Amino acid sequence: MNKKIIFFVTAILCFTLFLAGCGKKNNVTAAKEEKLITVKTSKVEKKDLILKTTLSGKIKPVKESSIVSKNPGKVMKIHVEMGDKVQKGDILFELDTEDMSNSMKQAEAAYNVALANFNRTQEQIDLAKKNYARIKSLYEEGAVSQQQFEQAALQASETQLDVVKAQMEQSKVALDTAISRLADCTVTAPISGFITSVNINEGEMASSGMAALTIANLDTVLIETSISEHLINKVHAGDDVEVLVKSASATPLKGKIFALSPAPTENGLTYPMKVSLENKDASIKAGMFAEINIVSDRKENIITVPSDSVVLRDGNQVVFIVQNNIAKIHQVSLGLENGKAVEITKGVKEGDLIVVKGQNYLDEGNQVKIIE
């Protein structure tokens, strides 16, 4: 009986120890599995790296015209409204023509009188010249006196004709001026574009000292900005640049450096620069904010890695390279960086498998699990 009890107790102890051993083994396995760190990797390649600098500025029209009435006068008719598109030569507004029309009629009458006087004087001179030729012949034959000869010569002189001719020309200038002032009562567009402001109303007096309307041609727009002394020698007039106008387009547009000053602004260290941008669909409006991306540096066929893959450990820049699912620390030297990618001048080689996600949780020798 005692032997049976001892056997039974011994069996229970062995079973308990077996379960304990299995549990310990499972814990070790679990611990090992817990040490696996999930990462995402990328193969190191040679690529081109471009460094861009972003400048900012506001959109302005290339052509803008403030329409000022040449004549002060009462506004009789306005043919446009703000936002209208007009072509060069289109009528914008009209002034009262009564006073100008009367002035033109007076100038025309004065010119007609002066012209008639000139024609009459011309006829008289022509007759006097014929008479002078006859008197001269008689004088040479001694048939008339010297006094008669001199009087005939005086009558044939064109001095009087010159006077009336000057009067006629003066009256013609006055007439032309009156015609021009009458024509100026109809104000037309000097350029094609959009009406951006209307500052007059029908029935009011138009002043020659204030712009009545403003026209802006937005087929091509300008962005005025400035560039630092570190970049001034890296760009040139005519260079293509990327322009992002978020209010008009989600994708960058192609602009061109229109003008670049060789001298900095007064009391400043930046150089004025203008960028032109085609705007045929008129989606870009004056006053919009624009970002200009300037290529400030470029390297081709160099080893690059994502900037986020580089981490700081013990004051050194490092990346983690995976070999046989083991993470290895590699200290690296950096070159050109554009915020997304960075040049590696030392520490990795083409084809290496580097960690690009999960690197902040790694240490030397960690086992990793690679995911796509």
Side-chain angles (χ1 to χ4, degrees):
M1 183 66 181
N2 290 334
K3 289 181 178 179
K4 289 181 178 180
I5 293 172
I6 292 171
F7 177 78
F8 181 71
V9 172
T10 302
I12 291 174
L13 290 173
C14 289
F15 183 73
T16 302
L17 290 173
F18 173 77
L19 291 178
C22 289
K24 185 175 181 181
K25 183 177 181 181
N26 289 336
N27 289 338
V28 171
T29 302
K32 288 183 178 179
E33 289 179 353
E34 288 175 359
K35 289 183 180 179
L36 287 176
I37 299 175
T38 301
V39 298
K40 187 175 181 179
T41 60
S42 176
K43 187 173 290 187
V44 175
E45 298 177 345
K46 286 186 175 182
K47 298 180 180 179
D48 296 342
L49 190 60
I50 297 175
L51 180 61
K52 296 181 179 180
T53 299
T54 300
L55 308 174
S56 62
K58 281 191 174 183
I59 302 291
K60 293 184 65 177
V62 170
K63 292 182 180 179
E64 189 170 23
S65 180
S66 295
I67 312 303
V68 178
S69 176
K70 294 182 179 180
N71 302 323
K74 184 178 180 180
V75 179
M76 301 300 292
K77 180 68 176 177
I78 300 175
H79 294 266
V80 295
E81 295 182 359
M82 186 170 61
D84 287 351
K85 187 173 184 179
V86 297
Q87 299 298 322
K88 182 178 180 179
D90 286 353
I91 297 176
L92 302 176
F93 63 94
E94 296 176 70
L95 301 178
D96 184 9
T97 61
E98 184 177 356
D99 291 342
M100 297 302 171
S101 180
N102 291 335
S103 296
M104 189 201 71
K105 290 177 181 178
Q106 292 175 359
E108 186 176 21
Y111 170 71
N112 289 334
V113 170
L115 179 61
N117 189 32
F118 172 78
N119 290 335
R120 184 171 59 253
T121 304
Q122 179 72 63
E123 291 175 358
Q124 292 173 350
I125 295 299
D126 289 342
L127 290 174
K129 285 182 177 180
K130 291 179 180 179
N131 185 56
Y132 170 73
R134 183 175 61 83
I135 295 296
K136 181 180 180 182
S137 178
L138 293 174
Y139 174 74
E140 290 174 349
E141 294 175 358
V144 296
S145 65
Q146 183 174 355
Q147 182 180 3
Q148 289 176 307
F149 172 72
E150 291 176 351
Q151 185 177 2
L154 181 61
Q155 291 175 347
S157 172
E158 294 189 353
T159 302
Q160 183 62 27
L161 182 63
D162 292 339
V163 172
V164 295
K165 183 180 180 181
Q167 293 173 345
M168 181 195 67
E169 292 175 345
Q170 186 177 8
S171 63
K172 182 63 169 61
V173 170
L175 176 59
D176 291 342
T177 301
I179 293 173
S180 178
R181 288 173 67 85
L182 179 60
D184 289 339
C185 289
T186 301
V187 181
T188 59
I191 62 172
S192 299
F194 289 90
I195 303 296
T196 56
S197 69
V198 178
N199 304 315
I200 54 174
N201 296 299
E202 291 181 2
E204 294 180 348
M205 293 295 293
S207 170
S208 57
M210 182 183 72
L213 301 99
T214 305
I215 301 176
N217 188 321
L218 296 174
D219 289 344
T220 302
V221 294
L222 283 180
I223 308 157
E224 294 185 348
T225 185
S226 58
I227 192 168
S228 71
E229 60 179 296
H230 303 292
L231 297 176
I232 185 64
N233 289 324
K234 295 183 179 181
V235 296
H236 306 86
D239 286 354
D240 292 332
V241 293
E242 274 187 1
V243 179
L244 181 60
V245 185
K246 295 180 180 178
S247 302
S249 174
T251 57
L253 305 171
K254 184 179 179 180
K256 189 180 292 290
I257 296 179
F258 178 77
L260 187 62
S261 174
T265 55
E266 186 176 357
N267 300 323
L269 298 176
T270 58
Y271 296 77
M273 184 174 75
K274 293 181 180 180
V275 173
S276 63
L277 187 63
E278 294 296 318
N279 185 35
K280 296 301 182 183
D281 61 356
S283 60
I284 302 173
K285 307 295 189 294
M288 284 184 174
F289 182 80
E291 294 180 354
I292 306 162
N293 292 319
I294 301 292
V295 176
S296 55
D297 209 343
R298 178 196 299 267
K299 288 189 177 181
E300 297 179 352
N301 197 33
I302 58 173
I303 292 178
T304 66
V305 300
S307 296
D308 292 341
S309 67
V310 181
V311 294
L312 190 65
R313 293 294 167 87
D314 299 326
N316 298 315
Q317 302 282 358
V318 302
V319 297
F320 284 92
I321 294 180
V322 176
Q323 296 175 343
N324 299 322
N325 292 331
I326 302 296
K328 300 289 185 180
I329 288 181
H330 279 230
Q331 185 175 335
V332 293
S333 298
L334 308 181
L336 185 65
E337 182 177 6
N338 64 7
K340 294 181 179 180
V342 61
E343 176 191 9
I344 302 295
T345 60
K346 183 179 179 182
V348 298
K349 63 182 183 298
E350 190 176 6
D352 284 346
L353 198 64
I354 64 166
V355 177
V356 296
K357 191 172 183 180
Q359 62 273 19
N360 293 312
Y361 307 103
L362 291 177
D363 287 314
E364 172 73 22
N366 283 155
Q367 289 188 338
V368 298
K369 179 182 179 181
I370 299 174
I371 60 171
E372 295 295 331

